Amino acid sequence: METPKTYEPQQAEDKWYQHWMEKGYFHSEPDEREPYTVVIPPPNVTGVLHMGHMLNNTIQDVLVRRARMLGKNACWVPGMDHASIATEAKVVNKLRQQGIKKSDLSRDEFLSHAFEWKDEHGGIILEQLKKLGASCDWDRTRFTMDDDYYESVVDVFIDLHKKGKIYRGERMVNWDPVALTALSDEEVIHKEVNSKLFYIRYKIAESDDSWLVIATTRPETILGDTAICINPNDARYLNLHGKKAIVPIANREIPIILDDYVDMEFGTGCLKITPAHDTNDYELGNKHKLETIDVFNDNGTMNAHGLHYEGKDRFDIRKEIEKELDEKGYLVKTEDHINKIGYSERTDAVIEPKLSLQWFVDMKDLAKPALDNVANGKIKFHPEKFQNTYKHWMENIKDWCISRQLWWGHRIPAWYYGSGENDYVVAKTEQEAINLASEKSGRTIEASEIRQDEDVLDTWFSSWVWPISVFNGLNEPGNKDISYYYPTNDLVTGPDIIFFWVARMIMAGYEYMDELPFSNVYFTGIIRDKLGRKMSKQLGNSPDPIELIKKYGADGVRIGILISSPAGNDLPFDSAQCEQGRNFSNKIWNAYRLVDSWSVQEDLPQPESSAIAIKWFESRFNQQLKEINEMYDKFRISDALMTSYKLVWDDFCSWYLEMIKPGYQHPIDQKTLEATKGFFESILKVLHPFTPFVSEEIWHLLKDRGEGEDLIVADWPELGNIDSNLLDEFKIAEDVITNIRNIRKDNNIANKVKIDLAVKKNKDLNSRFDVVIIKMGNLAQLDYTSEKVEKANSFIVATNEYFIPFGEEIDVDAEREKVEKELEYAKGFLASIQKKLSNERFVSGAPDNVVALEKKKETDTLSKIAVLEEKLSSLN
RNA sequence: GGGAGAUUAGCUCAGUUGGUUUAGAGCACCUGCCUUACAAGCAGGGGGUCAUAGGUUCGAAUCCUAUAUCUCCCA
């Protein structure tokens, strides 16, 4: 069968993925080898693959595949996150479409709908990852609500509660009036919005017609006002000290209090205090022992405190109350104003600060080791700059609100047996709760008297133990897996979850394993479209990764996404990059086709040019391999790819293969073919982490392979010798060849026409690449001469003069122009060197080697100028 | 408001403790080639006063100080 001219990915991809799976290469069991462990950032169980996942998982796969080839026992644990609020929102939505209201369902009924949904949509993303080539250990797939995982999360709650690190209390929390749940600070997104500043006047109590004016962005909350606050140093308002004011519409009397918290510059300097609906007001309220009036229901409508606005939505009220205040003469004026408003990460609802009874984790002690071990470099961030962000957050850490008024998730193991604030116990089972409750209350508590907390835990409270619980490290401490795989090695994730997840995993790691959870964190950037916009469903600018894979092949897409994505930088994605990736797959494919087309003639001697080409490529390969290894060590993945790309395209294909390529339909000698196949193998190894499919395919086409001789488990190339003299000499040869090609082009000499080259040596150079120059330049002969050659095109490389005799007249003017340009540059260059060298302080101050180098540059440039000038005069 | 980072070719980025650099790469662009591995290709080429202004230094893309613009984080 003829080898197709272009690489066809689909068939090879399915074939090899299946083969790898059958062979169990992705599966890992503890053994005597060094482990290399990565845990996947678990995608939402009902999510679908998007470009961010592609980037993230491609990087993980590259790291894992290389580690496997380095002989480590690579284990990449996949899994899914139950994503409590996101999934619950989806299920609620779907039920609504079916005409079912969540409030009409019991908890169990709702959960059975949710699990149904999970079974239907869950895991799609994992199937999609397989298309990408992800070499995850699928036998170890975990879900954060698997029974044993669930248990470990509950245990952590119980344990932290026992240690006094989890407490229940009424605090100001971020309330999502759409999802009807509290959120953590991290789930709130602050956005700048254009709003209005309302200036409203309050009558001063027991005065005839004295007023004060406050400025607020939220006039609807005046019904919850319990004080007016002014700065004690504000000279304008000394007359207000000790007075009271009357809240418009509500006609309640409230005190005027003094606190230097008030910014005299902002608004009017009079601040209305609504402790129930603003965090700062809440603190002031506590400080001054103010009454708290909550005017809102959980869904953002007004309650009875809202008087005639009861039942209406908070944003509708804002408009209505503006009108009423205006009509009644309270509204002084309005101004345009830009302020920041918090939105729910999940529902995009405007967050309502709300006083609420919730569960919290006290973070202070947990943060300590997590902060120290990043600061001291035990855990490294790539790029490093995220250390600063991390440090700043950790040093100002606040307690974590972990209870959510949802059903989908890990139910809080707290049990209530009375109406008192402390009439509860924390226990794993109902029976245990009964026993504990009886003990605590000093009476016998019946099962019918206790009820479990209705709330579930924040999703991140389950994912912070991910690197531990995927190996059952909490349920079965010290088991074989956890002892072997933990701590894991590298974590690859987005910077957007540095606090949600990364920081908390580090805390959990030290709390429960007394050990870091991973040594390196690689932060990817955010994928944007080519105009720099975030990818979103609304904009429709988010390509379907599976479609891309169909179009360009998985290898092509992997390259497309990695080729310009340094760690931590946003990546403007353009499918043209996948095209580049596809072209690269095809390039390798065609290199194979060429090598495959050669037939060996046993008694054929090895051409000299091939022998030197082989020597050169060996050095060149090792030189590049060294760089690639170093780049991996520094987590510079896209640089490692680029170096590999150029090694293959430029060094191997454009130079090496052209140097050893026999004439059309001519045979090749045994030695050269063997060396070439050896190089090809080394190259496939280097490529395999990036392009697993096409490399495995060619690996098998190149040679017959026995059982288990698959590239995925081949050894990463050993670093060999680098002969830098040889590499330098080749550079000169390369330069000569380029010059010959230029002359051919300028004079329209076809490549197949053989030409002569004469060399006038002004400096002794090793001539072992002459044979290569002859072959690549398609020379009839290469002669050395002591005289300059008339009627010839000429050029200079490394101060030697090269002549290509040409029968007819050459274009003197064009030639002169070229030489003049070159001369001008050389003179400028010389001037910059001589400026340095004539500076006494440079010569005495700079290190010797730097001075010597400048002197060498000067000598070389001088002789080059001499040659050019001579050439120029001969043209005149 | 506080903090962090960035600004190098049309785009995306390198440029290692200041000195092999009057600055490199990939893509894009331009020119010429369908030359028997590849037109998804080959060969060649153009393009940057390193954001701006000062300063330190024998020497600055690199260090310092301001300014401008942008991004992110926190409140």
Side-chain angles (χ1 to χ4, degrees):
Chain A
M1 195 183 76
E2 193 146 314
T3 318
K5 218 170 157 179
T6 50
Y7 171 61
E8 287 154 15
Q10 289 78 12
Q11 194 205 343
E13 288 175 9
D14 291 345
K15 178 178 72 186
W16 290 116
Y17 202 85
Q18 208 186 336
H19 178 76
W20 296 328
M21 290 282 277
E22 276 165 11
K23 288 285 182 180
Y25 291 141
F26 303 164
H27 183 62
S28 167
E29 285 295 332
D31 61 20
E32 70 293 340
R33 288 176 294 166
E34 183 189 340
Y36 175 81
T37 319
V38 171
V39 292
I40 206 169
N44 290 0
V45 62
T46 61
V48 290
L49 198 65
H50 60 63
M51 296 307 289
H53 295 122
M54 297 281 282
L55 173 61
N56 189 266
N57 289 291
T58 302
I59 291 169
Q60 290 173 75
D61 196 45
V62 167
L63 295 174
V64 168
R65 283 180 186 269
R66 177 161 179 273
R68 195 180 283 124
M69 294 177 79
L70 285 169
K72 295 179 187 171
N73 185 348
C75 181
W76 182 9
V77 183
M80 294 169 293
D81 192 299
H82 67 287
S84 118
I85 186 166
T87 306
E88 179 150 333
K90 281 185 190 168
V91 175
V92 167
N93 239 329
K94 177 208 156 201
L95 290 173
R96 191 184 300 134
Q97 279 166 19
Q98 296 173 353
I100 305 170
K101 280 201 279 186
K102 181 189 165 192
S103 52
D104 293 342
L105 298 175
S106 71
R107 184 185 193 105
D108 286 344
E109 283 167 344
F110 178 81
L111 285 178
S112 75
H113 280 290
F115 274 106
E116 209 173 275
W117 171 272
K118 179 233 160 192
D119 291 339
E120 197 178 323
H121 300 268
I124 292 178
I125 197 161
L126 300 184
E127 289 309 308
Q128 291 177 312
L129 284 178
K130 294 179 182 174
K131 296 277 176 214
L132 184 65
S135 59
C136 303
D137 185 349
W138 300 109
D139 299 338
R140 292 184 179 273
T141 305
R142 300 303 309 259
F143 175 49
T144 49
M145 290 210 337
D146 284 342
D147 289 345
D148 49 357
Y149 198 110
Y150 191 111
E151 197 187 326
S152 73
V153 173
V154 169
D155 285 343
V156 167
F157 183 99
I158 295 168
D159 178 68
L160 287 177
H161 181 262
K162 224 176 254 164
K163 291 175 181 161
K165 288 178 180 168
I166 282 182
Y167 64 92
R168 185 167 179 251
E170 185 166 60
R171 296 287 136 91
M172 202 59 143
V173 297
N174 306 294
W175 184 262
D176 180 335
V178 170
L180 300 178
T181 179
L183 300 176
S184 66
D185 294 341
E186 290 68 41
E187 286 166 295
V188 179
I189 298 175
H190 295 272
K191 295 186 211 168
E192 234 169 43
V193 294
N194 293 314
S195 60
K196 273 200 237 175
L197 196 56
F198 298 83
Y199 288 79
I200 299 165
R201 61 179 197 161
Y202 287 44
K203 191 172 183 196
I204 294 165
E206 290 161 21
S207 75
D208 291 336
D209 195 26
S210 293
W211 301 78
L212 63 85
V213 179
I214 59 95
T216 179
T217 54
R218 300 200 61 190
E220 69 277 12
T221 62
I222 65 172
L223 302 170
D225 284 357
T226 55
I228 297 288
C229 189
I230 54 176
N231 193 307
N233 305 315
D234 196 332
R236 295 171 296 180
Y237 300 122
L238 296 172
N239 61 320
L240 297 179
H241 290 201
K243 298 268 174 57
K244 291 188 172 188
I246 297 167
V247 180
I249 299 173
N251 288 318
R252 266 186 298 109
E253 227 174 63
I254 54 171
I256 296 171
I257 60 169
L258 305 175
D259 199 296
D260 53 17
Y261 162 79
V262 177
D263 177 3
M264 292 187 279
E265 305 295 315
F266 185 83
T268 60
C270 293
L271 180 69
K272 74 189 225 23
I273 306 298
T274 323
H277 299 295
D278 183 280
T279 316
N280 295 317
D281 289 12
Y282 174 69
E283 270 158 30
L284 275 179
N286 274 348
K287 189 168 159 191
H288 296 272
K289 307 220 162 23
L290 297 174
E291 193 191 345
T292 298
I293 302 176
D294 187 340
V295 299
F296 293 121
N297 295 311
D298 287 350
N299 64 1
T301 60
M302 223 166 225
N303 63 22
H305 290 295
L307 310 171
H308 49 286
Y309 292 108
E310 185 176 358
K312 290 183 176 173
D313 182 77
R314 53 194 169 144
F315 296 113
D316 297 335
I317 296 168
R318 186 172 302 170
K319 291 187 197 103
E320 291 178 30
I321 205 165
E322 178 183 2
K323 205 170 151 220
E324 183 177 354
L325 287 167
D326 193 21
E327 282 168 4
K328 294 189 170 164
Y330 294 113
L331 185 66
V332 180
K333 62 172 177 177
T334 63
E335 266 176 12
D336 288 336
H337 177 69
I338 294 171
N339 68 335
K340 290 225 177 145
I341 293 186
Y343 289 82
S344 164
E345 192 205 15
R346 284 295 156 194
T347 64
D348 208 36
V350 174
I351 292 299
E352 194 61 58
K354 191 178 167 68
L355 260 184
S356 169
L357 191 57
Q358 304 286 347
W359 292 92
F360 296 86
V361 181
D362 179 350
M363 302 300 274
K364 292 277 177 316
D365 292 348
L366 289 167
K368 181 83 173 65
L371 182 57
D372 293 346
N373 287 291
V374 171
N376 68 22
K378 272 195 85 180
I379 299 173
K380 291 194 181 64
F381 287 177
H382 307 272
E384 266 180 20
K385 65 175 179 186
F386 287 108
Q387 270 187 25
N388 294 329
T389 315
Y390 177 84
K391 182 166 174 264
H392 187 256
W393 187 77
M394 289 298 254
E395 283 174 346
N396 297 288
I397 198 157
K398 305 235 165 57
D399 287 358
W400 176 15
C401 175
I402 50 169
S403 41
R404 297 289 179 275
Q405 286 65 57
L406 301 167
W407 282 341
W408 178 245
H410 307 77
R411 192 167 178 182
I412 292 175
W415 308 75
Y416 304 93
Y417 58 85
S419 51
E421 206 178 308
N422 286 313
D423 294 347
Y424 70 84
V425 292
V426 168
K428 199 160 177 177
T429 62
E430 186 179 33
Q431 190 51 54
E432 207 178 303
I434 291 168
N435 297 343
L436 284 171
S438 302
E439 213 173 285
K440 189 170 171 184
S441 64
R443 64 185 176 88
T444 308
I445 302 279
E446 302 292 331
S448 59
E449 282 178 80
I450 66 163
R451 58 192 163 79
Q452 188 176 357
D453 196 311
E454 288 294 323
D455 295 351
V456 299
L457 291 162
D458 180 8
T459 295
W460 302 101
F461 192 87
S462 66
S463 30
W464 74 331
V465 292
W466 183 249
I468 306 171
S469 287
V470 293
F471 299 116
N472 276 332
L474 293 166
N475 300 344
E476 304 168 37
N479 75 63
K480 214 169 90 192
D481 282 352
I482 192 79
S483 323
Y484 183 73
Y485 294 114
Y486 194 94
T488 72
N489 296 74
D490 305 330
L491 178 82
V492 181
T493 190
D496 49 333
I497 53 175
I498 183 169
F499 308 132
F500 278 121
W501 196 44
V502 180
R504 289 171 184 158
M505 274 193 288
I506 297 173
M507 293 188 241
Y510 283 104
E511 181 71 15
Y512 286 101
M513 300 298 293
D514 207 16
E515 176 74 276
L516 45 84
F518 31 69
S519 308
N520 293 288
V521 184
Y522 179 106
F523 290 103
T524 64
I526 294 163
I527 305 227
R528 297 170 179 277
D529 69 7
K530 59 179 164 183
L531 300 173
R533 302 172 303 182
K534 273 193 180 173
M535 291 196 167
S536 71
K537 275 183 195 152
Q538 286 96 333
L539 286 171
N541 59 352
S542 182
D544 176 357
I546 296 302
E547 289 302 314
L548 286 175
I549 289 173
K550 271 189 197 154
K551 196 165 172 197
Y552 301 108
D555 293 327
V557 175
R558 289 166 69 110
I559 288 175
I561 209 155
L562 285 183
I563 196 119
S564 63
S565 58
N569 278 34
D570 282 5
L571 164 63
F573 180 79
D574 186 340
S575 62
Q577 288 161 218
C578 294
E579 208 171 307
Q580 189 186 353
R582 179 203 58 181
N583 295 353
F584 183 58
S585 306
N586 195 232
K587 184 73 189 175
I588 311 163
W589 179 251
N590 276 289
Y592 160 70
R593 283 182 60 218
L594 177 66
V595 173
D596 181 54
S597 73
W598 295 333
S599 53
V600 178
Q601 186 181 316
E602 302 236 341
D603 54 349
L604 198 67
Q606 183 179 44
E608 248 183 280
S609 54
S610 296
I612 190 76
I614 288 166
K615 273 191 165 170
W616 167 74
F617 190 75
E618 207 174 342
S619 270
R620 180 62 179 164
F621 175 81
N622 285 316
Q623 186 185 38
Q624 297 304 82
L625 178 64
K626 185 164 175 262
E627 243 184 76
I628 291 164
N629 284 338
E630 285 166 2
M631 283 160 175
Y632 271 113
D633 292 344
K634 292 184 205 153
F635 287 85
R636 298 178 63 147
I637 308 298
S638 55
D639 286 343
L641 169 61
M642 185 50 75
T643 306
S644 309
Y645 180 95
K646 286 192 282 188
L647 171 66
V648 173
W649 202 305
D650 300 342
D651 297 322
F652 187 66
C653 293
S654 296
W655 286 106
Y656 176 76
L657 288 179
E658 292 300 333
M659 286 192 269
I660 59 134
K661 186 171 163 182
Y664 179 56
Q665 289 192 337
H666 283 62
I668 194 165
D669 65 282
Q670 182 83 38
K671 256 173 127 176
T672 303
L673 185 65
E674 257 166 36
T676 304
K677 285 191 172 178
F679 290 149
F680 214 139
E681 287 189 330
S682 299
I683 270 174
L684 292 173
K685 288 177 178 179
V686 171
L687 288 177
H688 185 260
F690 297 114
T691 57
F693 295 108
V694 68
S695 57
E696 186 78 80
E697 173 79 1
I698 296 174
W699 176 262
H700 285 270
L701 291 170
L702 204 59
K703 269 189 195 168
D704 284 334
R705 308 279 173 186
E707 178 72 17
E709 287 177 358
D710 294 308
L711 181 57
I712 187 176
V713 290
D715 293 334
W716 187 256
E718 289 272 337
L719 191 59
N721 261 352
I722 302 168
D723 180 344
S724 53
N725 285 335
L726 189 77
L727 292 168
D728 289 345
E729 285 167 30
F730 178 76
K731 271 210 188 94
I732 292 171
E734 199 179 301
D735 204 353
V736 171
I737 293 161
T738 301
N739 272 292
I740 296 171
R741 284 170 176 165
N742 266 329
I743 286 172
R744 279 183 182 276
K745 193 187 173 196
D746 291 348
N747 297 288
N748 280 319
I749 308 169
N751 289 326
K752 46 189 155 193
V753 176
K754 284 198 188 284
I755 52 177
D756 294 341
L757 181 72
V759 188
K760 179 168 175 272
K761 267 197 192 179
N762 294 325
K763 189 174 156 190
D764 205 32
L765 281 177
N766 196 312
S767 55
R768 41 182 174 165
F769 279 102
D770 284 0
V771 283
V772 169
I773 295 171
I774 292 169
K775 173 157 187 183
M776 299 293 280
N778 197 20
L779 303 180
Q781 55 188 42
L782 187 158
D783 298 318
Y784 284 88
T785 167
S786 52
E787 294 299 315
K788 139 168 116 67
V789 178
E790 301 293 338
K791 285 192 178 174
N793 292 287
S794 63
F795 57 90
I796 299 160
V797 172
T799 74
N800 286 340
E801 286 174 85
Y802 294 80
F803 302 93
I804 297 175
F806 192 50
E808 294 155 47
E809 283 302 312
I810 59 164
D811 184 343
V812 175
D813 287 340
E815 191 71 7
R816 188 189 297 124
E817 203 180 313
K818 218 173 78 186
V819 176
E820 273 168 354
K821 216 171 143 190
E822 224 176 312
L823 194 58
E824 195 189 333
Y825 180 89
K827 281 182 173 167
F829 191 55
L830 181 70
S832 80
I833 298 164
Q834 286 179 336
K835 195 179 146 205
K836 277 188 207 170
L837 286 172
S838 62
N839 186 330
E840 182 50 40
R841 288 198 287 177
F842 169 74
V843 180
S844 55
D848 291 347
N849 63 325
V850 173
V851 178
L853 190 75
E854 289 301 316
K855 283 193 172 146
K856 184 176 176 296
K857 273 160 72 181
E858 186 191 28
T859 326
D860 289 351
T861 312
L862 277 171
S863 56
K864 188 172 178 185
I865 288 172
V867 172
L868 284 168
E869 274 174 342
E870 194 197 330
K871 192 168 162 185
L872 194 62
S873 67
S874 77
L875 286 168
N876 287 328

